[in-house]
Amino acid sequence: MTAQDALTRSYEIRTYGCQMNVHDSERLSGLLEDAGYVRAPEGTGEGEADIVVFNTCAVRENADNRLYGNLGRLAPIKARRPGMQIAVGGCLAQKDRDTIVKKAPWVDVVFGTHNIGKLPVLLERARVQQEAQVEIAESLEAFPSTLPTRRESAYAAWVSISVGCNNTCTFCIVPALRGKEKDRRPGDILAEVEALVGEGVTEITLLGQNVNAYGSDIGDREAFSKLLRACGRVDGLERVRFTSPHPRDFTDDVIAAMAETPNVMPQLHMPLQSGSNAVLKAMRRSYRQDRYLGIIEKVRAAMPDAAISTDIIVGFPGETEEDFEETMHVVRSARFAQAFTFQYSKRPGTPAAEMDGQIPKEVVQARYERLVALQEEISWAENKKQVGRTVEVLVAEGEGRKDDATHRLSGRAPDNRLVHFTRPEEPVRPGDVVEVEITYAAPHHLLAEGPAKGVRRTSAGDAWERRNAAPPAPRGVMLGLPTIGAPAPEPAPASACGCD
């Protein structure tokens, strides 16, 4: 295949699951573009891209059905388009391996979580040999941040500080698929942060499946707090976030670093999973209710305005009504700004899947609805406390689906609350900062309906403007020969992965 042939081939990546997968998809995009592919335009129809890559998640029970349903819809399209290729990667690919090709023999490539860098080579090999290529590495071949990356945002970026997880939570299959924790060297992380800031990025999110365990692989228990403080010394870096920590590893030095480092935002996502000590023990979560609430108390003492969010699983095997009420107690006590709530989902290969006491669906549903109603009430009450405050909003792209109809813009406050605000008269770009006064609160967003108090044009806005001025010319690199080198990273979904 010639370089010119490669230039005409488009790709689409469909991403499911956590921020780790989202960031992996940025790397997959970078690899494919280095190999000569071009990204399919927005609005490309089903099956119109030449390459469709599924970056899968294995945390939820319906992940398998969702993947095979999507693959099934593409089968007749691929039959009509012989040159089309389909690749499946991510956690479900790591777990199911040969099963994917058996169930969907029209898939061309299956690759795992440890060898995403092989995708262009595998696609070319499948094209030449006219047979499916299945390659699953059992351990990390190279830290993914050494791969080319196509960042989805010009102003906010993920920065991976570790991959893998050393925990053994009984409901989670992720450690088996991502492997043991591997930490990056602090100097490599800071070099990436500084390079991103040099390109115009003003907000970074430090990313790991158990982000505050950072240092366990390099023998420094205070490595994470030191990293936060080091990020505070990067000139031009305005906002630092991280996700997701584990209560076991959340130490006082981290709280101090958050409170004392001005560009570390007053926001914390701290997975609870359950408020019941008995359920936490069955989950193999190495903390108990009092330890969790103690962390929340310390964080609030150090940062009174911090917005704290969490993850909660309802209906874990053996959960009694009393256990569930303990979770409700923690929710009332902690007063989370937001909670990502999940009904327990049995995952084959996890200890919890084989436990006695699986809860009937109708019981789980009823508890789930009670929990959501309580959290909705608390979220709304906490958001109402923001009315009258003046906040700096980092203008975002794609956060407000109704912005055009309402003549508003949207973005995130320092505490990560979503703010919709009246569009200022002067031009404002994603990445710029607008100072507004909150006038109305809803459970999941805030409104600033008055005129902006100030607009600050930023290097991040400049970067967004440069990116959107003209599409970059694709490079004619031969397929199967991706370059490997230092990376040239969007605010987070809920939690970093199922293992937190």
Side-chain angles (χ1 to χ4, degrees):
M1 177 178 289
T2 66
Q4 185 60 41
D5 291 332
L7 288 175
T8 65
R9 291 174 64 75
S10 61
Y11 75 89
E12 172 194 358
I13 298 178
R14 304 185 189 182
T15 308
Y16 306 97
C18 64
Q19 296 101 318
M20 192 69 73
N21 274 15
V22 173
H23 192 23
D24 281 349
S25 289
E26 291 184 326
R27 296 186 181 108
L28 292 170
S29 293
L31 284 160
L32 291 172
E33 292 184 12
D34 262 31
Y37 296 101
V38 295
R39 190 173 192 172
E42 290 287 336
T44 297
E46 177 87 10
E48 290 183 11
D50 298 302
I51 311 294
V52 180
V53 182
F54 292 89
N55 189 7
T56 63
C57 174
V59 172
R60 307 303 297 161
E61 186 174 20
N62 66 355
D64 310 58
N65 294 336
R66 188 176 189 183
L67 171 65
Y68 293 117
N70 286 325
L71 291 176
R73 284 193 295 274
L74 287 179
I77 299 172
K78 188 173 188 293
R80 297 192 299 268
R81 298 185 58 204
M84 181 182 178
Q85 290 184 295
I86 300 172
V88 179
C91 289
L92 196 60
Q94 188 80 21
K95 179 175 78 74
D96 283 0
R97 303 174 183 236
D98 295 331
T99 305
I100 292 173
V101 174
K102 290 178 182 176
K103 289 186 175 182
W106 54 93
V107 169
D108 298 275
V109 171
V110 179
F111 62 101
T113 59
H114 300 309
N115 62 330
I116 63 175
K118 292 288 185 66
L119 177 59
V121 175
L122 295 172
L123 285 168
E124 177 67 353
R125 195 184 299 163
R127 186 190 68 82
V128 171
Q129 298 181 5
Q130 293 292 296
E131 64 180 13
Q133 301 295 310
V134 179
E135 188 169 308
I136 306 289
E138 295 300 331
S139 60
L140 195 66
E141 295 181 343
F143 203 91
S145 289
T146 62
L147 299 173
T149 304
R150 184 194 191 280
R151 306 287 180 179
E152 291 300 318
S153 170
Y155 51 88
W158 308 109
V159 175
S160 287
I161 69 171
S162 64
V163 295
C165 180
N166 294 335
N167 293 318
T168 58
C169 299
T170 54
F171 57 81
C172 185
I173 197 169
V174 172
L177 305 178
R178 290 277 182 177
K180 293 293 185 182
E181 180 178 329
K182 295 292 182 184
D183 295 336
R184 291 178 73 188
R185 292 173 47 154
D188 293 341
I189 297 168
L190 290 170
E192 182 178 355
V193 170
E194 289 167 354
L196 288 165
V197 173
E199 295 169 6
V201 168
T202 55
E203 174 177 301
I204 61 110
T205 300
L206 303 175
L207 187 60
Q209 276 144 330
N210 187 5
V211 69
N212 60 322
Y214 176 74
S216 62
D217 186 45
I218 57 179
D220 184 353
R221 291 181 59 84
E222 295 189 353
F224 185 62
S225 61
K226 293 175 183 175
L227 182 61
L228 290 177
R229 293 182 187 276
C231 288
R233 296 189 288 271
V234 176
D235 189 36
L237 180 59
E238 297 190 13
R239 296 186 173 193
V240 178
R241 306 186 191 277
F242 58 89
T243 194
S244 284
H246 192 293
R248 182 194 66 185
D249 301 300
F250 207 83
T251 49
D252 290 350
D253 61 296
V254 173
I255 297 173
M258 291 179 67
E260 296 165 11
T261 309
N263 65 357
V264 176
M265 294 294 94
Q267 173 237 338
L268 175 64
H269 184 78
M270 178 71 77
L272 169 66
Q273 307 302 9
S274 175
S276 161
N277 288 344
V279 173
L280 289 171
K281 182 178 180 180
M283 289 179 167
R284 288 192 204 145
R285 301 286 287 179
S286 52
Y287 56 88
R288 298 297 179 259
Q289 182 188 114
D290 57 350
R291 160 74 173 153
Y292 186 93
L293 288 175
I295 293 171
I296 301 300
E297 184 178 349
K298 288 180 178 180
V299 169
R300 290 248 163 81
M303 295 170 286
D305 294 329
I308 301 173
S309 57
T310 196
D311 295 333
I312 300 174
I313 296 172
V314 178
F316 187 81
E319 181 188 75
T320 64
E321 180 63 23
E322 291 74 19
D323 292 324
F324 176 69
E325 283 297 337
E326 288 296 309
T327 297
M328 298 284 273
H329 165 70
V330 174
V331 170
R332 293 187 188 98
S333 300
R335 300 197 65 79
F336 300 113
Q338 189 176 14
F340 300 91
T341 52
F342 307 93
Q343 298 184 37
Y344 169 73
S345 177
K346 184 187 292 189
R347 298 306 294 138
T350 62
E354 306 302 323
M355 286 182 177
D356 295 334
Q358 302 287 329
I359 311 297
K361 170 66 178 176
E362 61 273 17
V363 175
V364 177
Q365 181 68 34
R367 290 176 183 171
Y368 175 80
E369 291 173 1
R370 287 162 56 196
L371 175 61
V372 168
L374 172 62
Q375 182 55 51
E376 195 92 347
E377 176 186 317
I378 293 171
S379 294
W380 198 0
E382 292 300 305
N383 276 359
K384 286 177 180 177
K385 295 178 183 178
Q386 308 302 311
V387 174
R389 291 185 177 180
T390 297
V391 298
E392 284 195 333
V393 178
L394 177 64
V395 183
E397 189 172 31
E399 289 274 23
R401 293 188 299 273
K402 299 179 181 179
D403 281 354
D404 289 340
T406 58
H407 303 290
R408 292 176 179 142
L409 295 175
S410 300
R412 295 283 171 173
D415 63 10
N416 209 39
R417 284 183 165 95
L418 177 62
V419 181
H420 305 300
F421 60 94
T422 301
R423 189 185 298 268
E425 292 184 5
E426 59 192 286
V428 178
R429 308 159 301 178
D432 288 339
V433 174
V434 179
E435 190 176 4
V436 299
E437 181 179 333
I438 305 303
T439 58
Y440 175 81
H444 303 293
H445 68 267
L446 304 171
L447 288 182
E449 299 165 299
K453 293 191 171 186
V455 174
R456 178 163 58 87
R457 293 173 71 85
T458 66
S459 60
D462 294 341
W464 181 89
E465 197 166 48
R466 286 194 302 271
R467 175 182 284 198
N468 288 272
R475 290 167 288 183
V477 179
M478 289 292 287
L479 279 182
L481 296 175
T483 57
I484 302 297
E490 179 156 89
S495 63
C497 227
C499 62
D500 51 25

